[in-house]
Amino acid sequence: MARATDADVTIIGAGPAGSLAGATLSRAGRSVVCLERGHFPRHVIGESLLPRCNALLDTAGLLRSVEARGYMIKRGAVFLRGEDRERFDFGEALPGDRPSTFQVPRDDFDQLLALEARRAGLDLRFGHSVEAVDFDRGGAVVRIRDVEEDRPYDIRTRFVLDCSGFGRVLPRLLDLEQPAPLPRRVSCFTQVEGDARPEGDLEGDIWICIHPVNGWIWIIPFSNGRTSVGMVCDSEHWEQMEGSNRSRLLRRFGEEPNTARRLTNAVPVAQTRCIEGYSRQVKALHGDSWALVGNASDFLDPVFSSGVTLALESATLASGLVERALRGEGVRWDLEYDRTIRNAVGVFLVFVEAWYRRDLETVFFASTKLPRMKRLITSILGGHVLRQDNPLVDDARSALRDLSEAVSSLRAPSSARRPEMGR
Ligand code: FAD
C-alpha cells in the first residue's frame, strides 16, 4: 500500500520566502511543514526592503506585524558620486506604487515573519536540516535530520518548495546550477553606531556611494541606532589590498568622501563579514512537484536591494500556483511561474549590468531630467518590475538605452565617459 502523505507541502528554509509561502498556504487550509536548519534569530545580510515588499507582505497578511515592529521607514534611495547626488523618492513613482518601505535588521525581521507564519498554522521546525529529496509520481519523500538529536527521519509530501537561499538544496541535488550571470564580486560589511544621519523623512533613505577606485558602498540606517555599512567590489581588487577585512573596509570607507563624512564619529559595533561569488543562476525554476523560490533560484547582485522583494514575489506566485495544482487545476508552470519570475529578474539584470558598465550614472546624475523618466526609474527601484504599464519593464534593455541616449543628447559635450566599475 502506498504510504500516506504527511504534508501537502514541504518548505525548505524559513527566510522571507519560506515564511511567506508557509503563511499563505497554511491560511489556505493546506498542511504545510517548514524545515529550517538554523535557529532564529540568526544572522543574514539583506536589510533594505523595496516598497513592493509592503504590497506582498500585505497580501500574505504579514504587513501589520511588520508595521507594528517600529522599523526605520525608508522613503527613498540616494545615489552619490563625489559631489553628484540624486535621490529617488518612492512617493514620486507611478500611481499605485507604495510610497515607502522599511530598513530591517534581518535577524529580527526573519524571526518575526517565521513566528507569524507559525501563528497562521505552519508546522515550523527549527534545527531540522533537509539532506535529500526523492521524487516520484505522487510527490516526494524529503529526508531530514533533526540536528540536535542527530536523528534522521522523512516526510512524504505532495509538493516541495525550495526556499533554502544560499543553502541551494534542490539546485545541488538536481544539478540545476548554471554559470553565474555576473562576474565574481566580493561584499564585506559590518554595523556602526553614531553615523551622522540626515534629518526628518530623509533619515531612513538608503545611500549608495560610488567608490572613486572600485565598487560601491551601502549605508542602511536602522531604528535601533545601528547602521548597516558595506561594500561591493571586484574580488581581485579586494585581494590586492592588504590588512584584515575590517581594516580594508574602513580604509575604503575613508576614501569615499560622502561615506567618510557620514561615518566621521561612527564606531563599528559588529563583526566584519565577507561573502564572495553570490551571483547564481539555475537551469529551471520548477519540476513536476517542486519549485525554487527566492534566493534558491537566481540571485544577481545587492546594488538595487532586490533580493527580498524577488523572494517575496516568487513566494507569492508559487504558493498561489501550488494551491491551484493541489486542487487539481492545470497549471502552466513554465509560463505562469518561470517566465514571470525570469522577466522580473531580467529587468533587474539589465539595471545591474548598466550600473557596473556605468551607463546608469549617465541617467541618474543627468543635470536635466524628464519627470516621467524619473517616475519610471523610481518605480523599478521600488521593485515594481512586473508592471506592464512601465516601458522599462516591457523591454528594459532598449528602453534604458533610449533613456541614456536622450539624456546624453541633453548633456554638456564636455562630460567624459568613465571607465567601467571594475570589469
Ligand atoms: P534566505 O533568507 O537566505 O533564507 C534561506 C533559509 O534556508 C535560511 O534560514 C537557511 O538556514 C535555510 N536553509 C538552507 N539550507 C537548508 C537546509 N538544507 N535545510 C533546512 N533549511 C535550510 N536583499 C534585499 O532585499 N535588500 C538588501 O539590501 C540586500 N543586500 C544584500 C547584500 C549582500 C552582500 C547579499 C549577498 C545579498 C543581499 N540581499 C539583499 C539579498 C538577500 O539577502 C536575499 O535575497 C534574501 O535573504 C533571500 O531570502 P530567501 O528567503 O530566499 O533566503
Side-chain angles (χ1 to χ4, degrees), residues 12-18 35-38 40 42 44-49 106 110 128-131 163-169 172 187 189 206 218 220 232 275 278 293-296 299 302 305-309 311:
I12 312 173
L35 293 323
E36 167 54 55
R37 72 177 170 192
F40 286 14
R42 56 96 172 84
V44 62
I45 192 66
E47 301 128 330
S48 194
L49 305 187
R106 283 288 299 281
D110 286 21
H128 289 232
S129 178
V130 172
E131 301 196 322
C163 303
S164 64
F166 290 120
R168 311 191 65 73
V169 173
R172 278 188 294 107
S187 175
F189 43 88
I206 184 172
W218 77 70
I220 299 173
V232 171
I275 307 183
Y278 36 74
V293 181
N295 257 30
F299 180 72
S305 310
S306 57
V308 174
T309 306

Side-chain angles (χ1 to χ4, degrees), residues 340-418:
T340 309
I341 297 304
R342 288 245 142 101
N343 283 348
V345 174
V347 173
F348 276 119
L349 180 60
V350 170
F351 270 70
V352 169
E353 287 174 341
W355 170 257
Y356 285 100
R357 276 199 317 269
R358 308 195 75 157
D359 292 350
L360 220 45
E361 289 172 43
T362 318
V363 178
F364 281 7
F365 298 121
S367 49
T368 314
K369 277 225 201 40
L370 312 169
R372 177 167 158 75
M373 168 185 111
K374 192 154 181 193
R375 267 200 295 282
L376 300 180
I377 294 173
T378 308
S379 184
I380 298 290
L381 297 179
H384 303 91
V385 284
L386 291 171
R387 277 189 75 136
Q388 290 310 312
D389 58 347
N390 186 344
L392 285 171
V393 166
D394 190 33
D395 184 356
R397 204 170 294 280
S398 46
L400 203 56
R401 196 184 48 231
D402 292 349
L403 274 184
S404 187
E405 281 169 12
V407 164
S408 299
S409 67
L410 296 170
R411 205 166 40 152
S414 60
S415 42
R417 190 182 164 82
R418 292 164 190 260

